Amino acid sequence: MRMKKHLTQLLLSLLFLLVTAMTCDEQDWAEPIDVPCTLKEVELYHWDNAGEKPKEAVDNKVLKEAYMMEIRLLTDAGEKDPESYDADHYLRHVLSDGIKKIQIFTETAFNEEFPAGAEVTSCFYDYPKTFVEDQQTDFTVNGGVISMIDEVNKIYKALLTIPQSGGEFRFRVVLTMESGETVERLSDPVTFY
């Protein structure tokens, strides 16, 4: 009786493995193809995280406790996709000059600890990746490099430190590339209330 039970379990396990092996796509096993790309542009957007789901700020006005910044990285990835590759290969877009550091500075006095011009990167944290499909992980936070990217990638940073008062604020974002080159963008003014 015991042998029959084990034989049944063994046969069911083998059947499961056989069915699993027959349903695997070759695409899952195909080697990815690396396509070099370059960073073309960086855009900054203000987001409001006060509701059920974050949304772009209306008229650049945000409750100061609910502010988020979007750093959008635009590349030439789509322009360089080779047409000769078949659909069985996953294309990985690799930056020719990876991003090794992202810094955020305030152009307006934040509080006594962060006067105008101060670096406020520590006042922001990465918003959870489950928020948006094309959200890029900021590997630079842990000393890594952003080297792979898609056509449009977004990094969301939520504000942790609340300014002493409301009013108009501007942020300057500086991306430092592996080559040492920097890319700077100044945000549009945002009003915190």
Side-chain angles (χ1 to χ4, degrees):
M1 181 72 165
R2 186 173 232 179
M3 180 74 143
K4 199 176 203 181
K5 180 180 175 184
H6 290 292
L7 186 59
T8 304
Q9 288 177 339
L10 179 64
L11 287 173
L12 286 174
S13 296
L14 286 173
L15 180 62
F16 172 76
L17 288 172
L18 182 64
V19 169
T20 303
M22 291 174 63
T23 59
C24 286
D25 268 352
E26 285 182 31
Q27 186 171 349
D28 294 339
W29 303 103
E31 285 287 319
I33 297 171
D34 290 345
V35 178
C37 65
T38 56
L39 184 66
K40 287 177 70 172
E41 184 61 59
V42 177
E43 298 174 348
L44 305 177
Y45 297 92
H46 303 298
W47 282 70
D48 186 344
N49 194 23
E52 190 174 311
K53 284 184 110 178
K55 60 184 180 213
E56 273 196 71
V58 177
D59 297 326
N60 288 337
K61 293 180 182 175
V62 180
L63 182 66
K64 63 184 176 181
E65 293 86 3
Y67 177 72
M68 285 176 40
M69 176 189 297
E70 174 192 333
I71 303 169
R72 191 175 298 177
L73 308 172
L74 304 170
T75 69
D76 61 358
E79 300 167 15
K80 294 191 170 219
D81 285 348
E83 294 178 21
S84 61
Y85 297 119
D86 57 50
D88 289 339
H89 290 88
Y90 168 70
L91 300 179
R92 288 189 308 198
H93 300 102
V94 180
L95 284 172
S96 55
D97 193 6
I99 302 167
K100 72 176 186 179
K101 186 188 254 183
I102 297 176
Q103 296 170 283
I104 303 171
F105 296 87
T106 180
E107 296 294 302
T108 315
F110 223 58
N111 56 30
E112 289 178 15
E113 188 178 348
F114 299 104
E119 182 177 354
V120 292
T121 309
S122 63
C123 297
F124 288 85
Y125 75 96
D126 285 349
Y127 197 76
K129 192 167 172 75
T130 54
F131 162 53
V132 164
E133 289 177 22
D134 59 354
Q135 184 174 348
Q136 172 73 40
T137 300
D138 182 4
F139 296 111
T140 67
V141 171
N142 298 318
V145 174
I146 299 172
S147 59
M148 283 190 267
I149 201 162
D150 286 323
E151 291 176 49
V152 176
N153 273 288
K154 303 168 185 178
I155 297 172
Y156 293 94
K157 301 280 188 179
L159 186 61
L160 284 175
T161 304
I162 309 304
Q164 280 182 321
S165 62
E168 190 173 277
F169 290 84
R170 288 186 91 169
F171 297 101
R172 183 169 43 94
V173 174
V174 179
L175 277 63
T176 304
M177 313 305 281
E178 287 183 297
S179 66
E181 184 179 328
T182 59
V183 178
E184 287 190 34
R185 292 296 176 266
L186 187 62
S187 74
D188 289 335
V190 60
T191 301
F192 291 159
Y193 60 91

